[in-house]
Amino acid sequence: MSLSSAKNYALRAERSQDAKDAADLLAKAILELAAAIEATDAKVKKMSKTG
């Protein structure tokens, strides 16, 4: 779960010649972004509770 993984999926989708493959890669990129956002949100909430 990282922004770099999402970026890699998106770049692979951009280069893909197959529409279905590109759509699958973009879906993975979106899921990676969502996971990264959730992880960051959890860290911020934890920091704000302890700080």
Side-chain angles (χ1 to χ4, degrees), residues 13-33:
E14 181 182 36
R15 292 188 296 262
S16 178
Q17 298 295 316
D18 179 37
K20 184 184 181 315
D21 185 47
D24 289 344
L25 289 166
L26 285 175
K28 288 179 182 181
I30 291 167
L31 290 173
E32 286 288 328
L33 282 173

